[in-house]
Amino acid sequence: MKHSYLALFIAASLTPNFYAHAAQSAANTDSIERIEVAGQTIKSQGLSVKDATINGPFGDNLVLQDIARSVTPISSELIEQLNITTLQDVLAVSPNTYSASGFGAPSLPTIRGQLGELFQDGTRRQAGNNGFGVPLSFNSVEQIDVVKGAPPVLFGSSQRNGGFVNLHSKTASTDESKGKVKLSAGRWDQYSAQVDYTAPIIKDKVGLRVSYEHLDEGSYYDYSGTKSGSLFAAVRILPDDKSSWDINFELYQVEFTDNAGINRPTQALIDDGLYITGQGVQANGSTVPAAGSIVSPTGQVKIDRSTVLTDPDNQNEATTYLIHSIYKRELSANASLKNITYFQHLQREEIAQNSFVEIIDGADTAQNRTELTYRWNSDQQTIFAFDVRYNKVLGYSQFTTEADLPIDLTGPLSNRRIPLTDAQKARLVELSPGVFVSPGGQYDLDNDGSGDFNLSDTTDSRSWQTGLAIQQDSDWGDKLHTSVGYRIDFYDVEANDPIAPQGQVAASDSINEILHSGQVSFNYKLNSDYTTYGAASYNEATSNSMAGGTSLGGDNTISAQNFATENTLVEFGLKYAPTDSDWYADGAVFSQRRSLRNRDGSNTGIRTTGFESQVFYDAYPYWLSAGYSYIDARYDNSASSQDSAQVIDAFDNSRPDIIAGTGVGAPSFTAFAPSNRQVQGIPEQSFSFNGNYSINSKWQMGFSGLYTKSYPLDFLATVKIRDQYTLNVNTSYAFTPSTKLRLDVNNVTNQKNWRPVFEGGYFGATLAFPELPINAKLTLTHNF
């Protein structure tokens, strides 16, 4: 009702002459004249993507119909409505973003069937090794833009090209003071608290914002949990009416669990929860899990889905801090300048009882990009960019002695532990007492022509990336807009072995490469409601190891293959964004070829074609959205590999009533010949929907759901994850305009759903991740 009064007041204010004429008429006659003023009620709740402003990837102050790409901007209101707390949650609203579990702590998005990049304020963040890395805190985030396809030329050459997520940091207010307190409690002792406050320091000149979030979460899964703290601070400075400067800082500390899910994913496990028991045995009779172990099945039992590959004695923690600076200035009526500066420091330590080690002793990344925008006239605009990025990583790794399939999860914890033998230790280097890692290079101690060490991702590397980009935006009349961009990146990379075996000269190498990228696109307005677009891009990207570092290969050189990942995209779409309607819809067809980095450092070509669509409706008291995606992801006449060829290789044939095993032994690394087979771990079709209804001004009810079509878990498609769905409901009640209580109930039908553990399908025959059963969370929010 208050919006109706506001509209009435505005309408009256804009028509003073009308009132003067009415007064004069009343004075000249004795009759009473009836005056009617009509106003339109404001119904938008800020939950539609149509009204979002998108800054960064393709320019600034753009709306969806201006961008020739498939994009889903998720505002702060939509983040709250959808209860987004991890990168996996974006799949609830953005099509083609289905992802693996990322060992229970995803650090990268998955878009169009491949890992994507993670940006914040237009600069690429450190985000782990192939998706396995440090969990992401949303304490600093105001908006999330999900973009399909490789990063544009303004963002430059990167590593992952399925798509990207650009996080927009919170900003400080210079004109008002406001704050928020948010407390939540959920099943399995999951608690969190957040305090967020902003206020002007100098009215209309300088503002400050501080936000702190603490998580102390238990877990449904055995020996799992998360404890973290995120401190975020932002300053906004407005020196004059032509410039702004936003500076923000985040310190994030976390202890979390590396959760590999359940091993031995037979079809009986996926369909009925039946697990084959029996500890694997090595050829020498040892029951310590190792490559080539063979399991003689002892039975088949219903396994508790909370029984996963974790260990209470594992250590896993990380600390990172980030600094962002964004300076904008209007130089003249035709020119503007934007400078973005980013710095991040990361330290991480995981020492697991299954012999896995990843220690980042220090990773520092600094980047500075300057963009100059010049408008030649009302129809022509050019953006020039100069970009410098520096990355230095000192890290130690060891994953060569892991073995998951031989482990019987139903047995004692000792079944999962892998103490190294003297022979295994001889092929590694002792980093600290009892902690063995791979060296960062290969060495032939006995001069037999073969290397005597196991290699992982250990490295002491640094890289300089210098990029020059230009983007030309042109309007050809009122209907046609085109954009053409090109970028060249110069790489200077050096890698050293930080822990060479005693008596050996540390291996090292350097390389210089030039990478190119280009893009072209058009938007054509069919009428005021419909815009059609087309886009094509070519991108040369890199393959890196943990924290973006570069490792030496078995020949102690940096492989040129690390700079040979060519990626292409062709996309056509239609966007419906009427100004006088509460609807928004779009659809896109695409063909995308990209490279996927394998565990051995090589690259596998993958080609995807597909269709995706999203629809939004936002008009009080309703809000609705739906998304559909179809993707055909296939190896592009390219090789692939898995930890083991198929799950039955882990078993012998002593119990054919349980499983017809091959007795090959597992794990047994398998390289598959080039093919055009379907990529494992990706559903061909998915459908998501969300909704909310305001019963009255205080009480709201909402729902969300996700359906995924059956898909193969492993390369040979011997095991499939069947069609599955998840339904969630929520309700909230505002006791006062400032205080609201919300209840979320997830997986209300208690489906026993699964998803892959790792991107790229490498563990498709080895592991599967059981999703959470029905669970609830209560959240209290107070604004002040």
Side-chain angles (χ1 to χ4, degrees):
M1 183 61 72
K2 64 182 180 180
H3 297 306
S4 299
Y5 287 130
L6 176 60
L8 180 63
F9 173 76
I10 294 172
S13 300
L14 294 175
T15 54
N17 291 333
F18 177 82
Y19 283 106
H21 175 73
Q24 183 179 359
S25 298
N28 294 335
T29 65
D30 294 330
S31 61
I32 298 175
E33 182 176 359
R34 181 178 179 182
I35 302 171
E36 293 185 2
V37 179
Q40 182 178 359
T41 302
I42 299 173
K43 297 188 295 183
S44 174
Q45 303 169 86
L47 298 176
S48 176
V49 298
K50 180 175 68 173
D51 302 320
T53 300
I54 301 168
N55 295 308
F58 307 96
D60 287 344
N61 301 315
L62 301 177
V63 293
L64 273 181
Q65 55 266 41
D66 296 333
I67 299 174
R69 280 286 192 92
S70 177
V71 183
T72 306
I74 306 173
S75 64
S76 57
E77 293 84 2
L78 198 50
I79 291 173
E80 181 177 350
Q81 174 63 39
L82 296 173
N83 193 29
I84 293 176
T85 58
T86 73
L87 281 174
Q88 284 184 337
D89 295 334
V90 302
L91 63 89
V93 68
S94 183
N96 261 327
T97 56
Y98 184 80
S99 64
S101 73
F103 288 94
S107 64
L108 289 168
T110 299
I111 301 173
R112 290 181 177 170
Q114 188 203 2
L115 281 174
E117 288 290 8
L118 180 64
F119 291 82
Q120 186 162 2
D121 298 327
T123 55
R124 180 159 48 103
R125 286 184 51 147
Q126 293 172 350
N129 184 1
N130 287 341
F132 174 58
V134 180
L136 178 67
S137 168
F138 282 85
N139 180 47
S140 65
V141 177
E142 190 96 71
Q143 179 173 314
I144 305 169
D145 294 338
V146 184
V147 184
K148 314 301 171 55
V153 295
L154 292 180
F155 280 11
S157 175
S158 59
Q159 181 179 355
R160 306 165 185 95
N161 296 278
F164 63 94
V165 168
N166 188 29
L167 307 174
H168 295 272
S169 299
K170 294 174 178 177
T171 57
S173 173
T174 60
D175 57 3
E176 64 174 335
S177 300
K178 57 183 178 181
K180 180 173 73 174
V181 175
K182 187 176 181 180
L183 305 172
S184 70
R187 192 178 179 188
W188 309 301
D189 296 322
Q190 296 191 344
Y191 304 103
S192 68
Q194 183 188 59
V195 179
D196 188 351
Y197 182 74
T198 182
I201 299 175
I202 301 175
K203 183 72 171 178
D204 298 326
K205 289 290 185 181
V206 182
L208 174 67
R209 185 167 186 170
V210 178
S211 182
Y212 179 76
E213 180 183 63
H214 177 72
L215 273 63
D216 189 347
E217 297 183 340
S219 177
Y220 162 74
Y221 306 106
D222 292 347
Y223 315 119
S224 297
T226 301
K227 290 185 178 181
S228 69
S230 168
L231 174 64
F232 174 80
V235 175
R236 164 161 281 193
I237 303 171
L238 303 177
D240 50 48
D241 62 352
K242 296 182 181 298
S243 59
S244 66
W245 191 12
D246 288 290
I247 308 168
N248 62 67
F249 168 83
E250 181 182 11
L251 172 63
Y252 179 59
Q253 296 178 302
V254 61
E255 299 176 16
F256 62 104
T257 303
D258 173 357
N259 186 342
I262 297 177
N263 62 342
R264 304 179 182 178
T266 62
Q267 198 63 58
L269 176 69
I270 300 300
D271 293 346
D272 304 311
L274 296 176
Y275 184 85
I276 300 174
T277 59
Q279 184 76 354
V281 179
Q282 299 182 43
N284 63 5
S286 172
T287 58
V288 173
S293 295
I294 298 176
V295 180
S296 297
T298 57
Q300 194 171 35
V301 300
K302 193 91 170 179
I303 191 171
D304 192 317
R305 290 166 60 88
S306 65
T307 304
V308 291
L309 278 168
T310 53
D311 194 297
D313 291 341
N314 287 352
Q315 303 175 43
N316 198 9
E317 58 186 9
T319 298
T320 185
Y321 60 83
L322 305 90
I323 301 171
H324 283 93
S325 166
I326 305 173
Y327 177 76
K328 297 180 181 180
R329 181 164 182 82
E330 182 182 334
L331 301 175
S332 68
N334 297 329
S336 62
L337 178 76
K338 179 166 70 171
N339 181 270
I340 303 172
T341 302
Y342 152 76
F343 176 80
Q344 181 175 1
H345 175 78
L346 170 67
Q347 287 185 290
R348 178 174 180 228
E349 180 174 274
E350 178 176 5
I351 302 175
Q353 297 302 307
N354 69 344
S355 75
F356 177 82
V357 176
E358 183 169 288
I359 297 173
I360 299 175
D361 217 10
D364 295 305
T365 304
Q367 183 172 353
N368 182 274
R369 184 169 70 248
T370 299
E371 298 175 11
L372 175 64
T373 302
Y374 190 82
R375 180 167 286 279
W376 305 93
N377 53 49
S378 59
D379 298 328
Q380 302 293 327
Q381 171 183 284
T382 306
I383 303 175
F384 304 92
F386 176 69
D387 202 345
V388 179
R389 181 180 176 91
Y390 173 76
N391 191 60
K392 187 179 188 307
V393 178
L394 174 59
Y396 307 93
S397 175
Q398 148 55 10
F399 50 66
T400 61
T401 56
E402 288 181 82
D404 295 324
L405 276 174
I407 296 170
D408 183 352
L409 273 178
T410 65
L413 282 174
S414 58
N415 278 6
R416 315 177 186 188
R417 295 176 173 173
I418 304 178
L420 299 178
T421 65
D422 289 340
Q424 289 172 324
K425 292 177 182 178
R427 297 186 61 84
L428 302 170
V429 180
E430 191 169 22
L431 176 65
S432 60
V435 178
F436 288 83
V437 298
S438 296
Q442 187 58 271
Y443 304 91
D444 181 9
L445 302 183
D446 54 11
N447 296 314
D448 65 351
S450 298
D452 296 320
F453 293 87
N454 297 345
L455 296 185
S456 301
D457 283 334
T458 296
T459 186
D460 179 6
S461 63
R462 63 111 181 124
S463 66
W464 283 97
Q465 175 186 351
T466 304
L468 297 169
I470 183 171
Q471 177 176 307
Q472 178 67 35
D473 300 318
S474 305
D475 291 320
W476 308 98
D478 296 332
K479 292 189 173 183
L480 179 63
H481 173 85
T482 61
S483 180
V484 179
Y486 169 76
R487 174 161 173 154
I488 184 170
D489 281 282
F490 302 90
Y491 277 86
D492 178 11
V493 183
E494 178 183 292
N496 304 280
D497 180 1
I499 187 168
Q502 187 174 3
Q504 299 298 307
V505 177
S508 65
D509 191 28
S510 63
I511 194 170
N512 294 281
E513 293 285 344
I514 299 176
L515 276 65
H516 304 268
S517 59
Q519 65 191 41
V520 59
S521 66
F522 73 87
N523 300 65
Y524 184 78
K525 289 188 176 181
L526 301 174
N527 53 43
S528 60
D529 294 344
Y530 290 93
T531 301
T532 186
Y533 73 87
S537 75
Y538 171 81
N539 172 279
E540 295 177 344
T542 64
S543 293
N544 308 113
S545 58
M546 55 181 173
T550 301
S551 300
L552 295 173
D555 59 356
N556 288 341
T557 66
I558 299 172
S559 173
Q561 187 79 356
N562 288 347
F563 302 88
T565 57
E566 298 181 346
N567 307 274
T568 60
L569 166 70
V570 177
E571 180 179 320
F572 294 95
L574 179 67
K575 298 185 179 184
Y576 172 67
T579 56
D580 57 351
S581 172
D582 302 305
W583 288 93
Y584 172 83
D586 66 32
V589 293
F590 62 89
S591 176
Q592 193 165 320
R593 188 194 185 280
R594 56 196 185 275
S595 293
L596 178 71
R597 179 181 182 268
N598 300 319
R599 188 171 181 176
D600 64 358
S602 64
N603 295 304
T604 294
I606 295 175
R607 182 176 293 279
T608 61
T609 56
F611 169 78
E612 58 203 22
S613 179
Q614 56 186 355
V615 178
F616 287 83
Y617 177 79
D618 180 20
Y620 184 86
Y622 299 101
W623 172 75
L624 298 168
S625 80
Y628 170 78
S629 61
Y630 167 80
I631 185 170
D632 180 23
R634 297 186 175 275
Y635 291 100
D636 190 17
N637 193 29
S638 189
S640 183
S641 60
Q642 274 185 178
D643 183 52
S644 292
Q646 51 190 339
V647 67
I648 61 176
D649 290 347
F651 304 96
D652 62 25
N653 199 30
S654 60
R655 291 291 304 272
D657 56 315
I658 296 177
I659 190 169
T662 64
V664 170
S668 52
F669 174 82
T670 304
F672 298 105
S675 73
N676 297 105
R677 294 183 67 98
Q678 180 183 358
V679 177
Q680 65 270 41
I682 303 171
E684 280 190 327
Q685 298 185 65
S686 64
F687 174 69
S688 63
F689 56 90
N690 306 276
N692 181 74
Y693 174 68
S694 297
I695 299 172
N696 53 46
S697 60
K698 294 185 177 181
W699 187 14
Q700 297 181 340
M701 299 190 70
F703 60 88
S704 66
L706 174 68
Y707 164 81
T708 54
K709 188 71 175 171
S710 173
Y711 60 93
L713 185 60
D714 62 319
F715 178 84
L716 296 175
T718 62
V719 176
K720 290 188 175 182
I721 293 181
R722 308 294 190 186
D723 293 17
Q724 56 186 26
Y725 68 90
T726 304
L727 296 176
N728 311 313
V729 296
N730 65 81
T731 184
S732 64
Y733 187 82
F735 296 97
T736 70
S738 301
T739 305
K740 181 173 69 176
L741 186 66
R742 170 170 168 148
L743 174 66
D744 287 273
V745 182
N746 302 312
N747 194 9
V748 291
T749 57
N750 203 29
Q751 299 298 299
K752 293 178 173 57
N753 293 332
W754 299 85
R755 71 171 63 214
V757 167
F758 194 62
E759 304 292 345
Y762 184 80
F763 293 106
T766 306
L767 303 168
F769 194 85
E771 296 190 16
L772 291 173
I774 183 172
N775 61 93
K777 182 172 71 171
L778 199 62
T779 303
L780 177 67
T781 304
H782 177 70
N783 296 289
F784 58 92

